[in-house]
Amino acid sequence: MTAINDVTTLETVGEVAVLTLNSPPVNALSAPVREGINNGIKQAMENDAVKAIVLICEGKTFIAGADITEFGKAPAGPSLFDALNMIEFASKPVIAAIHGTALGGGLEVALTCHYRVAVPSAKCGLPEVNLGLLPGAGGTQRLPRIVGPEKALEMVTSGSHVGAKKCLEMGLVDELTEEGKLRDGAIAFAKKIVAEKRPLKRVRDLSDKVEAARGKPEIFSEFRKANARKFRGFLAPEYNIQCIEAAVNLPFDEGIKVEQKLFRELVTGTQSAAQRHVFFAERQVWKLPDVPADTPTIPVNKVGIIGAGTMGGGIAMNFLNVGLPVTIVETKQEALDRGIATIRKNYENSAKKGRFSMEEVEKRMGLLTGSLEMEALADSDLVIEAVFENMDVKKQVFSKLDAIVKQGAILATNTSALNIDEIATAVKRPEAVIGLHFFSPANVMRLLEVVRADKTSKPVIATSMQLAKKIGKIAALVGVCPGFVGNRILAQRQREAQKLILEGAMPWDVDRVLYDFGLPMGPFAMSDLAGLDIGWSKEKSQGATIRDVLCEMDRRGQKTGAGFYDYDENRNAKPSPVVEKIILDFAQKKGINRRKISDDEILERCIYPMINEGAKILEEGKAIRSSDIDIVWINGYGFPVYRGGPMFYGDTVGADKVLAKMKEFQAQMGDDFKPAALLEKIVAEGKKFSDF
Ligand code: 3H9
């Protein structure tokens, strides 16, 4: 066995050379890996005894793509294209032996090989789109030549990982080998190729599938139309489509040129930078500086939930979904029955949509027990309280739990606003108390804010994070403060949105600007959807806000057919002349001189105070790092991924620009815009939010 370099070895087994890459964690195509491929193939070519070459990887996976950390840095070592040419134009067959995942540049390497074998558990995909990119090493030109443009469009715009058996059916893989015996299987395959004198199969030379689609532009126009909503705001899906179009309409080498040009545009753009930031942020968020990975955890085999309302029921489903038994407690039989019936209905709907079988529905429901007695929670390992948001009620619940639930269990609250340190004073074991702030609908939304209180123990934190992963959430560890991270930042935007409509904008102006920015909907459309009367009561209403006035008029949102907007029978929103008049009258009564407000001002006034609040949160240590704040806002509030979250967006705009605007607004409108000390510091030191 010869070492080609630190990460590559070459071994000859009879007439087959085995080129092995070993670059943990995922054999990404870093400079040494590219060099290893390049020089390894070259050496194997120079050895006359070698008749075929197997390219295989050590560790948990085949090459998982380009090394994302290299993007934006000066190129070093042989280019990926040098390595790919070395493979594709080799005069001896090169066989890719795939296990784990062949992704992005990894699959592109495999596609330049003349044959591909894989173990049944392997997966292939071109997930570049999720990083705001397109496959830039020939993937968009080679893939449609094997699987046809329709399937290629699907794969490159979804980034999905396709299982080996499906790959075999599609022709992406030539043969499956026995699980765990990839090396032997690949060598045997190579020998067979040599013995049968099979020709070198170059994907670039295949033309039937792309030619069959030539002159059929509807393939692309229909695909664009069908996915318009999903792709809204993102550049990468459209660029990927254009590359597949080029594969269909242009000769291979011309298509490659289009791919390279569009790849360069994307990789140097802000969207891809943002999406790459999110990729790493999603992995960083689990790393807790003072709760190391080896912190002991508490086994959780039984979960208790108090409250069978929308929130409690949704939370319960998360645990039932992964096979954990749940006991749900309510005070009244009727409420309990209703809660359990809703869970069943949700599962049955999923089964009807084909997501799983009716047996699965019964299996999950079989894990659920209802009770009217809190005593039923005595042997739970984790209890989550999801009752009415009232401090006295919560403290009573916790004090009761303290007396009932076994020692060592975790006592969690789903509060979205109350002080968890205060809740913890109701028990004799404050170290067991933690916030698990689920977002509604709790069975759907990916975000979980794990809120550590002053006395929460490290095993309780570590267990909560581990459990979040188990139920498929992305969890951010945050500290106790009003609204925690997500809602505290939201409050800034809501305040400005309300002020803006009094000062001169209309709700639909604010909503349009934020929708165009990439949010799923603006604050007023959101209020209409949720119901304007959440937390509003007729008795206490004094007509002091626009909301009061609207609720008093029974304009309570979509459910009443009117709110900030008017709705038709299909719930389509229309700007409302009634609301316009209410706003104008209200402003006049308050003596506000309305003025024309630009779209830029709407955006800056809604978003910059959010960034500023994020800086305060960091300053106070309520979030571990700025990228955690981005994770919260992307997964809990639909902040556009292609902007990287509010803090990354702050870096994209420039902290200095954000600070200058905040100061300008502060001078005009007061201390709602007072810059955070950390924002001032970042600008003074020439740093970025992402440095914190
Ligand atoms: C591309 O290929 C462009 C080309 O078309 C064109 C070129 C011209 N680079 O996810 P995990 C790190 S774009 C660098 O926790 P898992 C990751 O940060 C690329 N680092 O493991 C983590 O580090 P840490 C297209 C990478 O088992 C560690 O590896 N490819 C890369 O849950 C473990 O990762 C993709 O988009 C990388 N490419 O999942 C695939 N990938 O331990 C991206 C991972 O310090 N990767 N790291 O936190 C994945 O989807 C998953 O990592 C994978 C393993 C499924 C492979």
Side-chain angles (χ1 to χ4, degrees), residues 25-26 28 60-61 64-69 71 80-81 101 103-106 108 127-128 131 133-137 161 263 279-280 283 287:
V26 295
K60 66 178 179 182
T61 182
D67 185 343
I68 307 168
T69 58
F71 291 143
L80 184 53
F81 282 92
T101 45
L103 298 178
E108 292 175 296
E128 284 88 342
L131 300 168
L133 293 173
L134 53 88
H161 299 181
F263 180 83
F279 176 87
F280 289 113
R283 283 155 180 80
K287 294 175 186 158

Side-chain angles (χ1 to χ4, degrees), residues 30-44:
S30 59
V33 171
R34 297 194 300 268
E35 181 193 69
I37 297 174
N38 201 54
N39 297 354
I41 300 278
K42 194 156 170 259
Q43 268 196 33

Side-chain angles (χ1 to χ4, degrees), residues 18-80:
V18 181
L19 184 61
T20 307
L21 302 172
N22 186 7
S23 179
V26 295
N27 291 308
L29 290 160
S30 59
V33 171
R34 297 194 300 268
E35 181 193 69
I37 297 174
N38 201 54
N39 297 354
I41 300 278
K42 194 156 170 259
Q43 268 196 33
M45 292 302 299
E46 285 161 0
N47 182 347
D48 289 341
V50 168
K51 301 282 180 261
I53 304 157
V54 166
L55 175 64
I56 193 166
C57 292
E58 287 282 352
K60 66 178 179 182
T61 182
F62 189 75
I63 304 163
D67 185 343
I68 307 168
T69 58
E70 279 187 357
F71 291 143
K73 295 187 187 150
S79 81
L80 184 53

